Amino acid sequence: MSWRRSISCHARSWRAAVREAREAQRHWKANKEHLKAEWRAAQKAGQVPENPGPPPSGFALLPWLLMGLGSLSNIFQGRTPNAWIGGLGLLAFNSLYIYVVFNAFDRKRRAATATRTALALMGLVTTALGLGYGGNWLLFFPLFGLATGAILRGPWLGRSGMALAVFSGCVAAFHEGWDGINIAYATFLSTMVTAAILSLSEAVRELRAAREELARRAVEEERLRFSRDLHDLLGHTLSVIVVKSEAARRLAPRDMDAALTQVADIESVGRQALTEIREAVTGYREGSLSTELDRARSALGAAGIEAVVRRSGPPLTPQSEALLGWVVREAVTNAVRHSGADRCEISVTGGAEHVRLTVADDGSGAPAAARPAVPGIGGTGLKGLTERLAAAGGSLEAGPSPRGGFTVTARLPTSTEELTAAALAAATSAGSSVNAASATSAGSVTGAGSTANR
């Protein structure tokens, strides 16, 4: 009876072990499918970078040297007359083949004179071996065609491949007669197929690199756009809030109603700033020149600066209004912060071809004779405005005025066609995109003293 109990206990333990193994297998399969599904979802979302594999190299073409084993066998079996000449020829061909195919995967080395010379020497060795021995030695012509296709990729490939095929067929016909057509066909096929496959592989890798570069530039451009908008929005808004807060503090002891008016303006500016920041984040913010001029009057008045606004000319396009609104915002912010002026004049003059905006104060700017106005002079805000207007075909100049003070002048084309053409030209010619624009702006934005603080 004891042995029966022992067998029963072992059977139960085996069944339990089998159940645990099956459960573990089911759990492993479920986890595997879950991980595969997550991986596919991440790839579709672009969160997992594609693995392009190792870069191509000459190792991919080395196995074709096995076609020369027949010639090597003939040497060892004594079927090749003057075997030492055949051995030297085989060694020279293999050495040149390895050198050529390893250079074929680098564009500069592929076009180098040394590589083309090695390919020509390889052709001479192939011709000598084919004419001298025939038979298996004729298989070096397809190998030579493979190396030729790897090196010659371009408009001359078809002619070169056809000429090489005809030449190899003629050499093969010297020994094999009409069977030389097979060598000619194999040579032409190896030349063209190798060139097509390598060219396609190179194009795919270049397209992948271009896609990654475009994605990187798009991220940089969006980051720069957001930083510009945030600087222009918060810089102006916070300056207005500070000025109005100081005005409210001064007015509170003697005129509570006026102080409460300033506090209400602060609340209104804050609410408007929240809205503008949300619009800037989503990229849909559109500026209005009239709105910015009204805000400029309010900000300058709260700072104790007399505001004089003049506007003439035909209505402007929405794009021009938005750009000039940015200029008004930045120039007025600088006047409130740094100028110490008593008067600020803002004039908008529209013409048949261009519109000009001028913001001039009578603050403590240096005389024009000491420091002439230069395009885009100033800090981060004026740098960004210089880039914005340049992309739209306009210009920005900022510097001391002849009678003292500081003047900002912006010019833009009035027609929508000119604005669109300038924007497209800027987008097309920006070879380095945001980095080039930043470098150009940085090169043109120089200044010192009180002007640099602007």
Side-chain angles (χ1 to χ4, degrees):
M1 296 297 291
S2 60
W3 62 273
R4 290 183 179 177
R5 291 196 205 94
S6 176
I7 292 176
S8 177
C9 291
H10 284 300
R12 284 196 297 270
S13 63
W14 290 340
R15 285 195 293 269
V18 170
R19 283 196 300 270
E20 291 179 359
R22 288 178 178 175
E23 185 66 25
Q25 187 178 13
R26 284 195 296 270
H27 183 68
W28 177 79
K29 287 183 178 180
N31 284 343
K32 182 179 179 181
E33 294 299 327
H34 180 68
L35 289 175
K36 283 184 177 180
E38 288 186 349
W39 179 264
R40 286 193 293 268
Q43 277 187 326
K44 289 181 180 179
Q47 299 174 356
V48 178
E50 296 181 8
N51 182 17
S57 65
F59 288 104
L61 301 179
L62 288 185
W64 292 102
L65 284 175
L66 295 176
M67 294 176 62
L69 287 179
S71 303
L72 183 63
S73 175
N74 289 342
I75 293 177
F76 282 109
Q77 293 176 4
R79 299 179 183 176
T80 301
N82 297 320
W84 64 274
I85 296 179
L88 290 177
L90 183 62
L91 177 63
F93 179 88
N94 289 342
S95 301
L96 291 171
Y97 177 87
I98 293 173
Y99 177 79
V100 168
V101 297
F102 271 90
N103 287 343
F105 291 89
D106 185 272
R107 182 168 297 180
K108 292 183 179 180
R109 289 188 296 169
R110 187 167 67 233
T113 304
T115 304
R116 301 300 174 96
T117 303
L119 184 65
L121 292 175
M122 186 178 172
L124 293 176
V125 172
T126 304
T127 303
L129 293 176
L131 286 174
Y133 297 114
N136 291 331
W137 296 87
L138 294 174
L139 294 178
F140 286 122
F141 274 106
L143 279 176
F144 176 61
L146 188 150
T148 303
I151 295 297
L152 301 180
R153 308 179 203 172
W156 293 94
L157 176 64
R159 300 177 185 179
S160 302
M162 183 62 68
L164 180 59
V166 172
F167 178 75
S168 63
C170 294
V171 174
F174 180 76
H175 289 283
E176 307 294 334
W178 287 104
D179 290 340
I181 296 177
N182 297 329
I183 298 297
Y185 176 73
T187 302
F188 180 76
L189 195 65
S190 64
T191 302
M192 304 307 294
V193 170
T194 301
I197 292 176
L198 295 183
S199 298
L200 181 61
S201 174
E202 188 174 286
V204 169
R205 291 183 177 273
E206 289 178 353
L207 287 174
R208 183 182 289 114
R211 184 180 62 182
E212 294 175 354
E213 179 66 16
L214 287 175
R216 183 186 65 81
R217 290 183 180 180
V219 171
E220 289 184 356
E221 186 174 355
E222 181 62 16
R223 185 183 295 120
L224 182 58
R225 180 198 69 81
F226 183 71
S227 65
R228 286 173 178 171
D229 288 358
L230 200 61
H231 170 272
D232 294 340
L233 288 170
L234 292 184
H236 174 78
T237 302
L238 293 178
S239 296
V240 172
I241 290 175
V242 169
V243 170
K244 288 187 173 290
S245 299
E246 292 175 350
R249 178 175 54 81
R250 291 194 305 267
L251 293 172
R254 61 178 184 273
D255 191 347
M256 184 56 67
D257 291 337
L260 291 177
T261 301
Q262 297 294 333
V263 172
D265 289 344
I266 293 173
E267 181 182 1
S268 176
V269 170
R271 293 182 184 277
Q272 183 64 30
L274 289 175
T275 303
E276 291 178 346
I277 288 175
R278 294 190 187 101
E279 293 174 349
V281 170
T282 56
Y284 294 110
R285 184 177 188 278
E286 293 293 341
S288 171
L289 181 57
S290 300
T291 302
E292 295 299 340
L293 290 175
D294 293 338
R295 293 179 182 173
R297 288 192 188 96
S298 176
L300 291 170
I305 302 174
E306 180 185 358
V308 179
V309 179
R310 302 185 185 91
R311 184 172 183 178
S312 62
L316 304 177
T317 62
Q319 184 178 359
S320 297
E321 288 228 351
L323 290 171
L324 295 179
W326 283 115
V327 177
V328 171
R329 175 185 286 256
E330 180 64 26
V332 170
T333 300
N334 287 339
V336 171
R337 283 181 177 176
H338 311 298
S339 68
D342 297 323
R343 179 185 174 90
C344 182
E345 296 184 2
I346 305 173
S347 62
V348 182
T349 306
E353 297 181 354
H354 292 82
V355 58
R356 184 178 67 178
L357 167 69
T358 303
V359 181
D361 61 61
D362 59 353
S364 55
R371 186 177 294 120
V374 294
I377 194 171
T380 305
L382 292 179
K383 289 180 184 179
L385 289 175
T386 302
E387 296 169 4
R388 289 172 190 253
L389 269 67
S395 63
L396 179 71
E397 294 181 357
S401 58
R403 295 171 296 177
F406 197 82
T407 302
V408 177
T409 304
R411 294 180 179 85
L412 276 176
T414 55
S415 63
T416 306
E417 291 78 5
E418 291 185 26
L419 286 169
T420 305
L424 290 175
T428 304
S429 63
S432 59
S433 186
V434 179
N435 293 335
S438 300
T440 304
S441 174
S444 63
V445 178
T446 56
S450 61
T451 306
N453 294 330
R454 299 174 184 265

